[in-house]
Amino acid sequence: MLTSLYRPILRPLADVETTLRNELQSGYEAVASLLRHGVQLGGKRLRPAMHLLIARAFGPITPANVVIATVLEMVHTATLVHDDVLDDACERRHLPTINSLWNNHTSILLGDYLFAQSFRLAATLDNTRTCLWVGEAARRVCEGELRQVLGRDDLELDQATYFEMINGKTAELCRVACSLAAAEAGCDDATVSRLAGFGSNLGIAFQIADDYLDLWGDDSTVGKTLGTDLEQGKLTLPVIRVLETSSPEDRQRIGQILQGPADQRFSRLRPWLERSDARTYTAETAERFRRDALASLDVLPDGESKTSLERIAEFSIKRSF
């Protein structure tokens, strides 16, 4: 499926994979083994693909685009490695996590290594824009993660705050992937801003779809155990919706479940979720952000790249993994 979505950029995407492997090497075999496993954890390569497709829409893909795409994937992978420590996750994309194969200390240091290497690589480009923009994006991602960690088990979390957090922790790297592609192509500020909006809205839609899959997905295809967010005390959009639409008495009962034993939250909350409109509401909200993302593509010339981006937007909310 991803091969079909990424068809116009398969060759430069392969160059990104080669660059990743070339950059993430070590003369120490113990470290090299760790880096080889870490490269596999990024998954869909969504951010590099978005960057390369927008670049291709405006002209030929340059070596600088390949470098930027690689930098984006390194930063993204670093955040995933750290996330797995925070969530005590044992599996990602059907692969064992770094913390499960090694330990938390190793995972934290690998994430730091990836951040450091990404900025070293960004500094090889002719301008400072990539370093500045990716650095700011990384800061916002970390800020979003911090807000989520500090807000765990906060039953007063509302939708506005939730969207602010995921706009940072998930959508920001999608936003900068698109805006950097437009800027590298020499687009004016309005076009850069328009395509940044595409990345932001697509990133939010993607995260809402993740929230949906965590509760209603198939764990054999999702690649992780369902209900993980609930166990970690993360209030996602479906749960926020249930809380917001419940009576005071029901809200109190739901709150007791969410503050009860972590391994029982998913099974005990499931009936409340099914009685509410949370499932439909979550799907419709993801669709709304998808439509907003698509509206921003009007600045792209028609062609294969634009069509692929439209298909990626559809995949982001209708996927099973």
Side-chain angles (χ1 to χ4, degrees):
M1 181 181 296
L2 292 177
T3 298
S4 173
L5 291 175
Y6 299 163
R7 190 171 304 282
I9 53 160
L10 288 179
R11 181 166 294 179
L13 204 53
D15 292 339
V16 171
E17 293 296 324
T18 299
T19 307
L20 269 173
R21 283 167 172 75
N22 288 341
E23 290 294 321
L24 300 178
Q25 293 190 23
S26 172
Y28 304 98
E29 179 51 34
V31 177
S33 175
L34 177 70
L35 293 172
R36 284 195 296 269
H37 189 76
V39 167
Q40 302 177 69
L41 297 177
K44 302 177 186 68
R45 304 298 193 237
L46 177 67
R47 291 145 194 85
M50 292 167 68
H51 177 83
L52 294 172
L53 284 166
I54 290 175
R56 185 182 181 278
F58 288 115
I61 291 173
T62 67
N65 290 129
V66 172
V67 168
I68 293 168
T70 305
V71 167
L72 291 164
E73 189 62 17
M74 282 187 188
V75 172
H76 174 58
T77 304
T79 65
L80 297 182
V81 171
H82 283 169
D83 276 355
D84 289 338
V85 175
L86 294 173
D87 297 341
D88 198 23
C90 294
E91 185 178 80
R92 178 176 290 278
R93 314 296 183 213
H94 303 289
L95 293 170
T97 57
I98 298 295
N99 48 298
S100 67
L101 284 179
W102 282 268
N103 52 53
N104 286 347
H105 293 171
T106 304
S107 296
I108 292 167
L109 289 169
L110 175 60
D112 293 346
Y113 184 104
L114 289 165
F115 276 125
Q117 190 72 338
S118 70
F119 290 114
R120 187 211 64 79
L121 181 59
T124 65
L125 296 170
D126 290 339
N127 60 65
T128 61
R129 178 173 53 220
T130 299
C131 277
L132 288 171
W133 289 15
V134 173
E136 172 61 12
R139 183 195 67 79
R140 291 196 64 199
V141 169
C142 293
E143 183 178 65
E145 291 285 4
L146 280 168
R147 291 185 68 188
Q148 186 172 67
V149 168
L150 295 171
R152 285 185 177 182
D153 296 315
D154 179 9
L155 301 185
E156 300 304 316
L157 183 71
D158 58 20
Q159 288 194 41
T161 305
Y162 162 84
F163 286 124
E164 285 177 4
M165 291 193 305
I166 67 170
N167 194 44
K169 83 179 196 72
T170 302
E172 181 61 18
L173 281 178
C174 294
R175 184 195 69 79
V176 80
C178 298
S179 57
L180 275 171
E184 282 290 316
C187 297
D188 57 33
D189 290 347
T191 302
V192 172
S193 178
R194 191 82 172 138
L195 290 170
F198 169 77
S200 291
N201 284 311
L202 183 61
I204 292 173
F206 200 90
Q207 180 59 59
I208 295 171
D210 267 358
D211 293 353
Y212 182 98
L213 289 172
D214 186 62
L215 296 173
W216 292 291
D218 180 345
D219 54 7
S220 65
T221 55
V222 171
K224 65 174 185 176
T225 304
L226 299 189
T228 300
D229 290 336
L230 286 174
E231 288 190 16
Q232 298 296 329
K234 298 178 184 177
L235 263 66
T236 57
L237 185 60
V239 181
I240 293 170
R241 177 65 176 177
V242 170
L243 287 167
E244 288 180 345
T245 57
S246 295
S247 67
E249 295 80 9
D250 286 347
R251 183 182 173 89
Q252 184 176 14
R253 295 188 186 98
I254 294 167
Q256 290 170 347
I257 292 172
L258 294 173
Q259 293 176 332
D263 60 350
Q264 298 178 21
R265 292 173 187 172
F266 179 52
S267 60
R268 294 183 62 195
L269 187 64
R270 194 67 180 266
W272 296 91
L273 288 165
E274 299 306 332
R275 284 196 295 268
S276 76
D277 69 346
R279 185 171 187 166
T280 302
Y281 181 83
T282 301
E284 289 176 347
T285 304
E287 170 61 21
R288 175 164 56 85
F289 278 99
R290 184 188 75 91
R291 289 197 303 267
D292 290 345
L294 289 178
S296 297
L297 290 181
D298 59 358
V299 297
L300 286 184
D302 291 336
E304 283 186 317
S305 295
K306 183 176 181 179
T307 299
S308 284
L309 288 164
E310 291 169 344
R311 292 180 63 206
I312 287 171
E314 182 176 11
F315 164 77
S316 70
I317 66 167
K318 294 183 178 179
R319 58 197 167 90
S320 59
F321 64 96

